Amino acid sequence: MADAATTVLNSRVPEGPMAEKWDRCKKEMKLVNPANKRKKKIIVVGTGLAGASAAASLAELGYQVQSFCFQDSPRRAHSIAAQGGINAAKNYPNDGDSVWRLFYDTVKGGDFRSREANVHRLAQVSNNIIDQCAAQGVPFARDYGGTLANRSFGGAQVSRTFYARGQTGQQLLLGAYSALMRQVGAGRIQLFPRREMLDLVKVDGVARGIIVRNLITGEFEKYSADCVLLCTGGYGNAFYLSTNAKGANVTAAWRCHKRGAFFANPCYTQIHPTCIPVSGDYQSKLTLMSESLRNDGRVWVPQTAGDQRRGNEIPDSERDYYLERRYPAFGNLVPRDVASRAAKERCDAGYGVGSTGQAVFLDFRDAIARDGRHAIEAKYGNLFHMYHKITGEDPYQVPMRIYPAVHYTMGGLWVDYHLQSTIPGLFVLGEANFSDHGANRLGASALMQGLADGYFVAPYTTGHYLGSQNLPSVSTDDEAFTEAMANAQDRNAKILGVQGTRSSDSIHRELGHILWEYCGMSRERQGLETAMGKISDLRDEFWSSIKVIGQGEQLNQNLEHAGRLADFLEFGELMVRDALVREESCGGHFREEHQSPENEALRDDENFCHVTAWEFTGVGNEPVEHREHLEFVEVPLATRSYK
């Protein structure tokens, strides 16, 4: 197996010193001349930060681009929900930051489970992203002298996070969207909203197109191209309750997996420590409170278990600022996985607050007294307003109540250094790939990766691919397109034909409970084995009991949700299997059998310093495990400590 994996998983990382790898890669790439670019067609699926920036950049270069999203407008991509900021190594505060320091923090934050070369490239191009976005008019916060302002995020001891109050993702997406729509107006991008990708089309083993369903009419459509860029986000909604938009799903990536794209590290799920707690059994999603709040907010619980007093009624002498106590070097700005596990430990021990006991306090009393209410409003006003609207509590007067929730996913389709999957011609960008964050993403690095991939990596690597291939013209009348369309139509027809008694929501909620209970913030062998059986049974239940009203040839959101749920049920089993075979704790993957005496994650570098990439062999069949060995030269393997 090791030999086979070595042959297949060629990461194509260039030789030479780390700081020179990306420049060397670009120097050795083939180019496509401007006249030939106009003859090349590229499909980009997704219009979030990765998709919008990639489509705009490729069209600006002269390629014909077709852009697809299932929303009614590219502006509604889930990237708008990102709140706190975007990292870059500008070192404006002059506090010791550098490209190397950003690289180091990201490798360490990912618990030494990411590919060093990809992370270093990310740090290298980070400064270009800020210049690009500022030139587009993104309204970054500025300090008194007019320089772009920075704030701190977890896992770093420098201030490198650029922000636009608590709506950074929205502002960055508007910048990318404006660039996208400029190219739509110029005729170089064809925009296809309200389309959902349901299959990838391979011709002679190479990605050459996609099958989509028009969500308004229900019609199936086929589109061909010279290559496909997948920018469809993560799979956090497998848990049902998450901070993701309700429409976010795994379908496009999963259908590519079933066509031969390996899925890497699916068990790596990030639990964000700063979310509004669950309030009821029938809540449909959770709301994120930006990690940036931990710059000024202090996290604590009462010193007495079961204390039900309101937060502002508990004096300092009876408070446990447990992050500051446990991690004095980083305090409230420890990485997300560390903060989340610490909150869970306190709540499990009986110190949680609120009616459920599943919450801790995030308190701004001291910051307001120190800096004044106006300064806090300027930094976080929209976040405080959102919290007040949702909970009915004014965080200027009483502490926020927060609890960890599913947020980002570090796993994704396996890609090499060029962002190409194991299917030639299929490139995967942003959260949909596995490459940059290892087992735990540092805050403000998601936006950085999406824009780095779209603006500064994919335009080079896809151009190299197109310049290196002699791709014959392919028509959508080709047999491969006919087969793929029939496959997608048959699956929808099968779902519609069950006519059982259970709704998608009821089954999805049950799946989410299984995943959260057994494969959530902590995992252990017996629970994971239990989850495998429960998910398999629930998948059978879906195909015998799902009820979808309406027809396929019309707007039918019940059918959309059911199709995505069917993929989550298949994917969920792979997520659990991946967690089961990784007999170590690292980052967001915490196996209870593998922890230090201080309850910290205990890695096993001798046996698990690798990427696990799974090959699909059929629904219900055991997938084939492949491995990419990870080497750490610039940042030597070490026990991660924030104390």
Side-chain angles (χ1 to χ4, degrees):
M1 173 49 56
D3 292 340
T6 302
T7 302
V8 176
L9 295 180
N10 175 12
S11 63
R12 291 203 287 174
V13 173
E15 299 293 332
M18 186 64 67
E20 299 174 12
K21 288 183 184 294
W22 179 230
D23 287 337
R24 177 172 181 173
C25 183
K26 291 188 290 185
K27 182 177 70 176
E28 295 174 353
M29 284 180 178
K30 293 187 181 297
L31 301 177
V32 181
N33 79 54
N36 287 337
K37 283 175 184 169
R38 290 192 290 269
K39 303 173 186 175
K40 301 292 185 182
K41 188 183 295 184
I42 300 173
I43 285 173
V44 181
V45 186
T47 57
L49 288 179
S53 60
S57 300
L58 291 165
E60 188 77 44
L61 289 170
Y63 295 104
Q64 300 177 52
V65 178
Q66 294 181 317
S67 173
F68 296 82
C69 66
F70 64 69
Q71 298 91 350
D72 58 345
S73 166
R75 290 177 299 170
R76 295 189 186 274
H78 187 56
S79 297
I80 66 164
Q83 297 169 344
I86 176 170
N87 288 331
K90 287 284 194 183
N91 194 31
Y92 285 165
N94 199 30
D95 56 0
D97 203 8
S98 64
V99 167
W100 191 90
R101 176 62 61 177
L102 175 53
F103 163 61
Y104 170 84
D105 286 343
T106 307
V107 171
K108 177 184 174 184
D111 216 352
F112 298 90
R113 291 296 178 262
S114 52
R115 187 189 291 149
E116 263 197 340
N118 285 64
V119 179
H120 195 277
R121 176 176 63 190
L122 179 64
Q124 279 180 271
V125 304
S126 65
N127 292 340
N128 296 338
I129 298 170
I130 303 304
D131 295 339
Q132 172 91 2
C133 295
Q136 289 173 338
V138 173
F140 289 118
R142 295 179 181 268
D143 65 18
Y144 182 76
T147 306
L148 297 184
N150 290 106
R151 57 190 178 199
S152 300
F153 260 60
Q157 291 180 306
V158 298
S159 292
R160 65 162 65 100
T161 303
F162 296 78
Y163 62 96
R165 297 189 76 183
Q167 51 184 241
T168 313
Q170 181 179 16
Q171 298 303 327
L172 291 172
L173 185 61
L174 287 172
Y177 169 74
S178 66
L180 174 80
M181 295 309 293
R182 176 175 179 271
Q183 295 302 319
V184 171
R188 287 190 284 269
I189 294 180
Q190 283 183 283
L191 185 61
F192 296 92
R194 302 296 287 153
R195 273 25 177 234
E196 181 165 30
M197 176 180 164
L198 294 181
D199 211 346
L200 178 77
V201 181
K202 288 165 55 179
V203 178
D204 297 327
V206 176
R208 295 303 305 269
I210 60 173
I211 304 298
V212 302
R213 179 173 177 267
N214 184 317
L215 298 181
I216 301 297
T217 66
E219 292 180 274
F220 285 79
E221 301 167 355
K222 354 178 228 190
Y223 297 91
S224 65
D226 294 294
C227 66
V228 176
L229 274 61
L230 198 72
C231 314
T232 52
Y235 47 84
N237 271 352
F239 289 84
Y240 187 73
L241 283 181
S242 83
T243 66
N244 289 275
K246 285 297 290 180
N249 62 85
V250 78
T251 288
W254 188 248
R255 303 290 173 93
C256 290
H257 174 59
K258 294 172 81 167
R259 288 289 181 183
F262 291 3
F263 213 113
N265 300 335
C267 77
Y268 289 166
T269 303
Q270 181 165 81
I271 311 296
H272 196 295
T274 319
C275 299
I276 297 178
V278 174
S279 59
D281 290 342
Y282 289 92
Q283 193 169 345
S284 63
K285 76 177 298 293
L286 296 172
T287 302
L288 174 69
M289 289 284 102
S290 169
E291 181 180 320
S292 64
L293 294 172
R294 290 196 275 143
N295 271 282
D296 291 297
R298 300 178 70 191
V299 179
W300 63 276
V301 293
Q303 289 186 1
T304 304
D307 192 333
Q308 290 298 305
R309 286 178 291 174
R310 291 164 59 90
N312 56 348
E313 297 172 352
I314 302 175
D316 264 18
S317 60
E318 299 176 36
R319 298 182 178 191
D320 176 16
Y321 293 95
Y322 60 89
L323 291 179
E324 297 170 35
R325 170 172 57 83
R326 294 183 186 180
Y327 309 101
F330 283 75
N332 295 295
L333 286 173
V334 291
R336 291 174 176 178
D337 61 322
V338 176
S340 293
R341 280 197 299 276
K344 181 179 187 297
E345 184 277 328
R346 288 290 78 193
C347 292
D348 289 350
Y351 295 92
V353 301
S355 59
T356 64
Q358 296 296 300
V360 299
F361 287 127
L362 179 62
D363 196 339
F364 290 85
R365 181 201 62 184
D366 295 347
I368 292 172
R370 181 186 67 237
D371 300 330
R373 174 168 171 157
H374 179 74
I376 299 302
E377 284 180 340
K379 289 181 181 178
Y380 314 115
N382 61 309
L383 297 171
F384 276 46
H385 176 72
M386 184 165 61
Y387 183 88
H388 194 180
K389 292 282 284 185
I390 291 172
T391 67
E393 298 175 355
D394 182 358
Y396 293 107
Q397 304 297 326
V398 299
M400 289 183 179
R401 289 176 294 109
I402 59 168
Y403 193 71
V406 172
H407 179 53
Y408 187 89
T409 53
M410 286 74 67
L413 294 182
W414 185 90
V415 293
D416 61 20
Y417 190 70
H418 289 231
L419 304 183
Q420 186 171 218
S421 71
T422 48
I423 299 175
L426 175 65
F427 293 81
V428 189
L429 282 58
E431 190 180 1
N433 77 34
F434 88 100
S435 66
D436 290 18
H437 307 299
N440 177 62
R441 177 176 67 80
L442 290 185
S445 288
L447 308 186
M448 178 172 61
Q449 187 210 348
L451 292 178
D453 288 355
Y455 281 138
F456 299 111
V457 180
Y460 283 96
T461 60
T462 54
H464 170 71
Y465 171 79
L466 294 172
S468 306
Q469 306 295 316
N470 183 18
L471 295 169
S473 177
V474 170
S475 165
T476 54
D477 294 329
D478 189 277
E479 183 180 337
F481 282 86
T482 304
E483 181 271 330
M485 178 176 276
N487 182 63
Q489 290 171 325
D490 290 348
R491 186 174 177 84
N492 273 17
K494 185 179 178 183
I495 292 172
L496 285 165
V498 175
Q499 288 300 303
T501 58
R502 294 195 61 179
S503 69
S504 293
D505 261 9
S506 73
I507 297 176
H508 196 174
R509 192 179 290 112
E510 188 174 340
L511 171 66
H513 180 77
I514 294 168
L515 291 174
W516 179 251
E517 185 73 18
Y518 300 111
C519 196
M521 291 179 69
S522 64
R523 300 98 185 260
E524 50 85 26
R525 172 167 289 279
Q526 184 177 353
L528 291 167
E529 289 173 345
T530 299
M532 289 284 285
K534 285 180 174 288
I535 294 172
S536 179
D537 291 344
L538 190 60
R539 190 171 65 244
D540 292 340
E541 170 86 357
F542 172 91
W543 288 108
S544 64
S545 301
I546 189 68
K547 181 175 181 62
V548 176
I549 60 175
Q551 301 174 5
E553 297 76 31
Q554 60 180 193
L555 173 67
N556 190 339
Q557 292 189 316
N558 288 302
L559 179 58
E560 293 172 37
H561 298 161
R564 296 165 191 166
L565 174 57
D567 293 321
F568 276 138
L569 285 162
E570 294 173 5
F571 167 76
E573 196 168 331
L574 184 67
M575 181 195 295
V576 172
R577 183 183 298 277
D578 190 50
L580 195 54
V581 302
R582 186 166 285 276
E583 290 275 5
E584 66 165 352
S585 291
C586 57
H589 169 64
F590 190 77
R591 285 287 296 267
E592 293 179 10
E593 307 97 320
H594 305 287
Q595 55 183 301
S596 71
E598 295 81 26
N599 306 114
E600 303 291 351
L602 192 61
R603 296 197 320 264
D604 180 353
D605 293 331
E606 183 178 349
N607 296 304
F608 291 97
C609 194
H610 60 251
V611 176
T612 304
W614 297 95
E615 180 181 1
F616 182 76
T617 59
V619 177
N621 296 337
E622 190 167 327
V624 176
E625 178 185 352
H626 298 269
R627 295 179 178 179
E628 176 195 347
H629 179 67
L630 296 171
E631 294 185 355
F632 294 89
V633 178
E634 298 291 319
V635 186
L637 288 163
T639 300
R640 194 168 59 130
S641 174
Y642 295 93
K643 295 185 177 182

